[in-house]
Amino acid sequence: MEAIKKLKPPKTPPKEVEAITKNVEVKKNEFWGWCVLASFLALLVISCGVYTLVKLFPNFLPHNKPGPNRPGPIARNYADALGIAFQFFDVQRSGKLVNNRISWRGDSALRDGSDRNLDLSKGLYDAGDNVKFGFPMAFTATLLSWAILEYGERMAAVEQLGQAQDSLKWITDFLINAHPSPNELYVQVGDPDLDHECWERPEGMSERRPAAQVNASFPGSDVAAEVAAAMASASLVFKKIDPDYSFTLRTNAEELFAFADLYRGAYSVSIPQVKKFYNSTGYGDELLWAASWLYYATRDPSYLKYLTVINGDVFGNWGDPSWFSWDDKHAGTQGEKDGISPDENAKLQMYTRMAQATMCTLLPGSPSATSSRTAGGLIWVSEWNALQYSLAATFLAVLYSDYMATSQVQTLFCDGTTFSSKDLRHFAITQADYVLGKNPMEMSYLVGYGMDYPRYIHHRGSSIPVDSRTNCREGFKWYDSPDPNPNIPTGAVVGGPFMNETYVDNRTNHRQAEPTTYNSAFIVGLLSGLLTTASVPQSFG
């Protein structure tokens, strides 16, 4: 991703949403379930995940009873879009490709890690460049795991579950190899400064590709904890289908979390070069996020205590809400409310109130609805990769809607106005449909879906003909070419529209035209949640 895109979204909530944390209540059900700490749309939110509810309390929940909670027929438009979205993970693969289904991609970066006597050839290029950044790559893996855990059976119904697991494993194979010892983690392969002086296909790279690490002397709590979260969540995905691999992931996750917590520091301080690309604004959110996933993977109550009593006040960011993104994980930190201490419960109740308030900001008819949306209704936060925030908010809205339906919470109260899980789901549908083409541009922002989608994507491999022999600098003639990209990066989700709902289809416009793997992970989760007409998934574990 181009350096100029790495802007931290504003930390201070807009005035129109500051008041929503007051006087908001949700009708309490006899079952509280578990909750997710979240912070998007300038507020922390708890998005309660259905996966954990169903797995921990299968006999209590209504998902097997007849009636409106039964999954409905498949929504073919979302199924088609999901199949397209998954292809971008193949487009971004590094290494020796197996069962390659992208005709214009080939083997690349086969010697990555050789300078450290490691095999770091796998993994994903993060965006339109040829660097493997471990921080967003791990976040992509965690999101993929979350989507599979919540909606795996829906993916299976449209023959996409195997693709999801395969895409996830391509990342986690890399992450395992990148962790050769307990206090050592390789977090970047390739020199981003040198890479951004080139415009070339990854198959033709000849430049030096050093591997950068964090360790006890040069810590990186943020990236190490994110990798721990990715491995812990993935261990749940593979627990039944590959127990040995699941055990390896869980063991690595616990080691990395201990390393991240003991040797605290931001990785962008230890590796200053990364500041221009994926600068970290803090590591507390990643520690909470990792602790939550480790709690679910291990059932060790010490992780829940870490998440609530020990570090809830320290890292919870309750008084300074922020936006959910690759850099801010408050949106996904998870903790269960069943069988916990009063102190732990008190912390989670604080998150719950913020969760309810945030859901109220998303709903257009709510008195506390945010004005951070376009005239056409899209949640819009930043001109740089705007769809990351839209898709993040919408994915969490689907999860919360499913939580309400699964735990039989009937009503969400927003300053005197009531909403149901169906209202949240309808909101999510409007956001998904906007991205897929129901917008003023009448353009799909998912490349390959529909008749009209971006053709001048800011993406090196896509923009250069397969038979081109241009080198590092010569390749810029393709960057400046007036012709559309010769290779379509199917499944890419570009940055998206400006606030005025325009989109400039030009590959030099990396604010709007550059795709990322985490955009794709968000839309995969969202589309999987919308695959059937019912609100409650048949969760996969």
Side-chain angles (χ1 to χ4, degrees), residues 324-382:
F324 185 30
S325 70
W326 62 264
D327 181 39
D328 197 315
K329 313 301 162 32
H330 291 104
T333 304
Q334 306 161 11
E336 178 195 344
K337 297 189 69 173
D338 183 69
I340 66 175
S341 72
D343 287 343
E344 292 168 335
N345 183 65
K347 301 301 181 187
L348 291 178
Q349 294 238 21
M350 293 178 65
Y351 304 147
T352 300
R353 288 192 293 270
M354 300 298 284
Q356 298 156 2
T358 304
M359 290 298 108
C360 290
T361 71
L362 297 179
L363 293 164
S366 166
S368 53
T370 180
S371 61
S372 296
R373 64 185 87 222
T374 67
L378 179 73
I379 294 294
W380 194 95
V381 176
S382 170

Side-chain angles (χ1 to χ4, degrees), residues 56 72 188 202 238 287 298 305 325 342 344 410 428 452 470 489 513 523:
L56 294 181
Q188 179 180 299
F238 294 107
L287 288 173
T298 67
K305 187 174 183 180
S325 70
E344 292 168 335
Q410 300 294 323
D452 190 13
T470 52
I523 202 169

